[in-house]
Amino acid sequence: MLRSALLTQAFMQAPSRDFLPCTPEITLVAKRLDKFKTTIFTQMSMLAMKHGAINLGQGFPNFDGPEYVKEAAIEAIKEGKNQYARGCGVPDLNSAVAARFKKDTGLVVDPEKEVTVTSGCTEAIAATMLGLINPGDEVILFAPFYDAYGATLSMAGAKIKCVTLRPPDFSVPIDELKSMISKNTRAIVINTPHNPTGKMFTREELNVIASLSIENDFLVFTDEVYDKLAFEMDHISMASLPGMYERTVTMNSLAKTFSLTGWKIGWAIAPPHLTWGVRQAHSFLTFSTSTPMQYAAATALGSPDSYYKELKRDYMAKKAILVEGLKAVGFTVYPSSGTFFVVVDHTPFGHENDVAFCEYLIKEVGVVAVPTSVFYLNPEDGKNLVRFTFCKDEGTLRSAVERMKEKLLRK
């Protein structure tokens, strides 16, 4: 009762303002989530607004998705497709996901039994972790990793083990990976193309992981949301490798490919014996996903190959603007083969760590980057690195580069 009264009092006494942060000053949170605090993306975006900085931190485009996809959503709403969808997804979208997966990987999946539509890939991740991982199971992550992996595994009660990918090429240290595997290993999580580094797992690396999965009988959860943003090599889906479909959950979404992050349309593809667990968790997380947006997503996934070619061409031009600018300013820029992210070494500018540098960059330079230490179990591993995104229009990217050249360029 006392804590409840304190929270009520704190809220009632808060000054009136147009924008309230999502996290109150006094909080109550379960121990399993207390360490995660507010996401770094929220923190950086709030600082960006406060200081009028150009946001090259959070990975959302500042341009809109295709008109024909938005029109499909409007038509679905007008046609009355506005009530709860069935839990696993509207049939049109399930079929479109299966068709796209067949075109990309050659695998034929049953849209009714092996495709589950979720509220974004983040929910697909949560449903997979909560539906297939038991308390005490060991799950291997590659650090740096998207923060939702750690949070949802914590909710599932898993024991997290990390293999660190290190610059300059962020290749998989195979011996270190093998040493992490034990009789309690339940799953390994792969994100390719990889956020935040832009690394793409090579066929050789994926083959080794597949062999280890089969030999040691563990699952593979693969996050492939950036699969259409593969610049320097072809994307390879783990499920397409021999013997791997039966032990793989493939997660993806509409957001990155179609610049529709606010729609929150994602999916998980898995054989029926794994789909069952995913769907059980999904039923009690969101149950179903936005109905009209699902119909529009089906339209999006039916886009011609020319759409994906133009998307990649546009992003390569944006990447060139940012990478060339960062190099000219004096950063050490590491290769990015996919995604719309670039990781750099900020140490030439003399700041103690990545958080301190990012705060300086926002307040004094007017540009936002994300400190990568939040993507590691051991923050020290990422203290020299920060992440920029180039999912912005070319004018915004050039303006950010000019600000850095003017205020950050080493004399």
Side-chain angles (χ1 to χ4, degrees):
M1 291 296 291
L2 176 60
R3 289 188 177 184
S4 178
L6 284 171
L7 286 172
T8 302
Q9 181 182 17
F11 179 79
M12 295 300 291
Q13 293 179 351
S16 174
R17 51 188 180 266
D18 294 331
F19 176 78
L20 285 171
C22 296
T23 304
E25 292 178 3
I26 300 175
T27 60
L28 297 176
V29 63
K31 290 181 180 178
R32 63 182 173 272
L33 290 176
D34 185 51
K35 63 183 177 181
F36 295 102
K37 310 297 181 184
T38 305
T39 71
I40 193 65
F41 311 110
T42 299
Q43 294 176 43
M44 292 296 109
S45 292
M46 288 172 63
L47 274 175
M49 288 187 287
K50 181 178 178 180
H51 294 278
I54 297 173
N55 195 342
L56 301 189
Q58 194 168 1
F60 60 84
N62 68 342
F63 46 86
D64 227 346
E67 289 298 321
Y68 64 91
V69 179
K70 293 187 291 183
E71 287 298 325
I74 293 168
E75 287 305 310
I77 292 170
K78 288 180 176 178
E79 291 170 5
K81 296 172 179 175
N82 300 306
Q83 307 309 320
Y84 290 128
R86 65 175 187 170
C88 65
V90 301
D92 286 10
L93 180 53
N94 289 58
S95 295
V97 169
R100 185 76 243 176
F101 197 59
K102 179 183 178 183
K103 189 166 188 177
D104 290 341
T105 68
L107 295 171
V108 177
V109 300
D110 185 331
E112 297 299 300
K113 297 179 180 179
E114 299 178 291
V115 176
T116 305
V117 176
T118 58
S119 296
C121 189
T122 300
E123 198 235 322
I125 293 164
T128 298
M129 305 304 191
L130 294 172
L132 296 173
I133 298 298
N134 292 305
D137 284 346
E138 293 180 357
V139 178
I140 298 173
L141 301 179
F142 290 101
F145 55 83
Y146 177 47
D147 58 354
Y149 303 156
T152 52
L153 285 171
S154 180
M155 285 189 274
K159 179 181 178 181
I160 300 173
K161 301 175 86 171
C162 260
V163 175
T164 301
L165 307 177
R166 295 179 172 85
D169 59 1
F170 300 99
S171 60
V172 176
I174 300 300
D175 290 340
E176 184 179 343
L177 171 60
K178 290 179 179 178
S179 72
M180 291 283 182
I181 298 169
S182 77
K183 59 182 177 60
N184 297 318
T185 301
R186 171 67 168 166
I188 189 168
V189 181
I190 296 174
N191 173 211
T192 183
H194 181 258
N195 174 17
T197 68
K199 167 193 169 56
M200 292 184 64
F201 282 67
T202 66
R203 183 174 294 275
E204 291 73 20
E205 290 172 332
L206 293 174
N207 279 334
V208 169
I209 295 168
S211 296
L212 291 171
S213 171
I214 293 169
E215 291 168 12
N216 296 278
D217 193 26
F218 59 77
L219 304 174
V220 177
F221 304 150
T222 176
D223 175 351
E224 302 183 3
V225 296
Y226 299 100
D227 63 335
K228 296 298 182 293
L229 296 176
F231 304 122
E232 296 171 8
M233 62 181 76
D234 292 334
H235 169 74
I236 301 168
S237 183
M238 174 62 86
S240 69
L241 299 183
M244 287 308 297
Y245 181 74
E246 291 301 310
R247 57 180 61 248
T248 301
V249 179
T250 304
M251 299 169 285
N252 210 321
S253 80
L254 199 74
K256 314 303 181 183
T257 307
F258 290 94
S259 303
L260 296 166
T261 60
W263 285 20
K264 298 298 290 180
I265 303 292
W267 54 86
I269 302 171
H273 65 281
L274 298 181
T275 290
W276 176 248
V278 174
R279 288 185 177 181
Q280 285 292 91
H282 167 65
S283 294
F284 298 103
L285 287 169
T286 63
F287 174 68
S288 65
T289 295
S290 173
T291 302
M293 301 311 181
Q294 287 194 57
Y295 284 100
T299 296
L301 291 180
S303 296
D305 290 343
S306 59
Y307 172 81
Y308 300 102
K309 291 177 182 176
E310 184 177 349
L311 177 78
K312 187 182 293 188
R313 183 170 60 249
D314 287 348
Y315 267 115
M316 288 181 73
K318 296 176 191 298
K319 175 186 171 184
I321 293 170
L322 181 59
V323 168
E324 290 169 11
L326 292 171
K327 288 180 178 178
V329 171
F331 289 101
T332 300
V333 181
Y334 294 114
S336 174
S337 299
T339 75
F340 41 54
F341 300 117
V342 173
V343 167
V344 304
D345 187 329
H346 68 83
T347 55
F349 301 98
H351 291 268
E352 180 182 1
N353 55 45
D354 57 331
V355 174
F357 174 76
C358 285
E359 289 180 350
Y360 170 83
L361 193 67
I362 292 172
K363 296 174 182 178
E364 303 299 329
V365 182
V367 176
V368 183
V370 166
T372 68
S373 57
V374 299
F375 299 115
Y376 294 82
L377 282 187
N378 178 14
E380 284 292 304
D381 289 339
K383 70 177 184 178
N384 293 340
L385 308 176
V386 297
R387 187 195 77 179
F388 289 91
T389 182
F390 51 89
C391 60
K392 312 296 176 182
D393 64 77
E394 293 190 8
T396 297
L397 294 171
R398 293 185 192 281
S399 294
V401 167
E402 286 306 310
R403 286 190 183 187
M404 288 188 282
K405 284 182 177 179
E406 179 184 348
K407 298 181 180 180
L408 193 64
L409 186 61
R410 288 181 297 163
K411 304 299 182 182

